[in-house]
Amino acid sequence: MSDTQYEVIVFGASSFVGQIICEYLSSYRGEEPPLRWAMAGRNERKLQETRDALSGDKPELLIADSSDEVSLRAMAAKTQVVLSTVGPYALYGEALVKVCAETGTDYCDLTGEVHWIRAMIDRYQTTASQSGARLVHCCGFDSIPSDLGVLFTQTHFRERYGHPSEDIRMRVKAAKGGLSGGTFASLLNVMKEASEDPALRKQMADPYLLCPGAGFHGRQRNPGLAELDVISGRWMSPFIMAAINTRVVQRSHYLLGKAYGDHFRYEETMLTGTGLAGRLRASAIGGGLAAFMLGAAIKPGRWLLEKLLPAPGEGPSPEAQQKGFFDMRFYALSGNGETLQCKVTGDRDPGYGATAKMISQAALCLARDVNESQCAGGSWTPASSMGVTLMQRLEQHAGMQFAVVEE
């Protein structure tokens, strides 16, 4: 155990997802000794209201502002891990990453902004390597189920066939949940930045964006708006998180020493059903996603979407979060006709109820389970930094399951 005052500080504790995380941690009794944690943010009144509403432990409050490095440095000095919910990260996240990298404080977040992650790698990888800070992005629904799901599938494929699968295709079989205003704000900000910068648009189209220096050149497949999946026999449409998850999985592949093979390919889609009904659903989802992306790419469209979509601080009700779930299938293939199907499932709303448990357990894993000899300082992914250890935590404490599907 570190001699810091806290193991985990939740920064952005009064945000929509921050409140869910704090409720989870306040009632967490999954292990001993009891968790030493605190809540932090810039607005003391909102922090106090969030703490008063907790059903369990009432942690201490700290005041820190994403634009004030002095306050961020004071906060980082008190903890082993900072868990950040303060997005859009491209607007508000860099100062905290910089401070954690410089002070050797571990860090995890919920970003899905891959261009920002690449900028953080370029700017702070060396600093974090020298200080010992482990910086782990994408610790929620994007991208823990995908990242650990591929790791789990590759482990079992290798055990069965003696080599990795160089072709894994993830299909969202079923899911129920909603998106918060904060998530939409991040998506709109990404589209705004890309629309204003042609070089950034080109960069974001690179499937190996998060693998600088890896030398990957293989082509990755981008499924169309509505296709019949030859593996499952169902119709499928694009998965909105694929542009994030596929790049995180490729970075894990790189950081794990190209453990998935020299020509590894990975794709993600959503299954919509069989027959004409499945085809129509796939076309509707694919068309709706294309319309959203087109609208978000132009200024009048973003203005209209901001009026229609939930505002930051708004999101699914507690009842809706309880009823949410997800079921993701991983189909591993080889050129020799070898196949394996695995699944990753979770209870609660994927983006909020489940995400809150995922990032909380990731922070605990960094604080309690993974020492510097197992994972040194630098910019990591969930699979490359915590791997099987985090997987076990998620099964024990977060309502998730990883399993081989025997056909």
Side-chain angles (χ1 to χ4, degrees), residues 40-297:
R42 65 177 182 174
N43 189 311
E44 186 173 6
R45 178 185 60 81
K46 289 184 177 180
L47 285 174
Q48 185 67 57
E49 290 173 353
T50 301
R51 182 173 67 175
D52 291 345
L54 297 178
S55 62
D57 297 337
K58 313 289 187 183
E60 293 185 29
L61 304 181
L62 304 174
I63 304 303
D65 192 310
S66 60
S67 63
D68 180 4
E69 278 194 31
V70 173
S71 68
L72 294 177
R73 202 169 292 274
M75 175 182 70
K78 296 179 180 179
T79 189
Q80 292 172 250
V81 184
V82 176
L83 183 167
S84 175
T85 76
V86 179
Y89 291 86
L91 297 179
Y92 307 116
E94 180 170 357
L96 180 56
V97 172
K98 175 178 182 289
V99 164
C100 287
E102 292 175 348
T103 59
T105 306
D106 293 341
Y107 166 95
C108 59
D109 67 26
L110 295 172
T111 189
E113 301 157 66
V114 289
H115 67 300
W116 178 76
I117 298 171
R118 173 57 190 267
M120 297 303 96
I121 293 170
D122 292 343
R123 294 170 191 168
Y124 303 113
Q125 169 69 20
T126 299
T127 302
S129 299
Q130 293 171 346
S131 72
R134 286 87 60 89
L135 312 176
V136 189
H137 303 289
C138 304
C139 289
F141 185 60
D142 49 324
S143 301
I144 278 180
S146 298
D147 200 25
L148 294 185
V150 170
L151 179 66
F152 179 86
T153 302
Q154 289 286 19
T155 299
H156 286 271
F157 193 94
R158 189 186 293 274
E159 288 177 356
R160 183 168 296 189
Y161 298 114
H163 59 87
S165 166
E166 293 196 346
D167 185 356
I168 292 184
R169 306 177 192 188
M170 191 283 280
R171 307 296 188 234
V172 180
K173 183 180 179 182
K176 183 177 181 181
L179 296 179
S180 80
T183 297
F184 282 119
S186 293
L187 286 171
L188 292 175
N189 184 67
V190 169
M191 295 305 297
K192 176 180 181 292
E193 292 188 15
S195 69
E196 297 171 350
D197 187 345
L200 178 59
R201 290 199 298 275
K202 182 178 180 180
Q203 182 188 45
M204 290 175 64
D206 180 4
Y208 305 113
L209 174 63
L210 301 184
C211 305
F216 291 152
H217 301 293
R219 296 190 64 182
Q220 299 291 313
R221 181 173 175 273
N222 293 313
L225 295 182
E227 291 185 14
L228 183 62
D229 182 20
V230 296
I231 300 175
S232 67
R234 295 176 173 88
W235 284 89
M236 61 183 184
S237 63
F239 180 44
I240 191 171
M241 300 300 184
I244 304 162
N245 296 335
T246 54
R247 285 145 179 78
V248 172
V249 167
Q250 288 291 352
R251 178 161 177 79
S252 290
H253 169 43
Y254 166 52
L255 293 174
L256 291 169
K258 301 182 181 179
Y260 304 160
D262 292 335
H263 307 287
F264 175 63
R265 294 176 60 180
Y266 179 65
E267 66 178 57
E268 297 190 341
T269 61
M270 289 183 62
L271 298 178
T272 60
T274 58
L276 180 59
R279 182 175 186 173
L280 291 174
R281 278 194 292 269
S283 298
I285 293 172
L289 181 59
F292 173 82
M293 300 303 282
L294 178 62

Side-chain angles (χ1 to χ4, degrees), residues 348-402:
R348 304 292 188 271
D349 176 275
Y352 297 91
T355 280
K357 294 189 289 185
M358 289 182 213
I359 193 169
S360 296
Q361 290 300 328
L364 279 163
C365 195
L366 284 171
R368 294 191 166 190
D369 301 337
V370 181
N371 62 38
E372 60 274 8
S373 66
Q374 297 166 300
C375 178
S379 181
W380 297 93
T381 60
S384 62
S385 59
M386 295 172 275
V388 174
T389 305
L390 178 56
M391 207 179 299
Q392 292 169 343
R393 273 190 168 274
L394 295 172
E395 289 195 316
Q396 292 170 5
H397 306 297
M400 289 179 62
Q401 294 295 322
F402 297 79

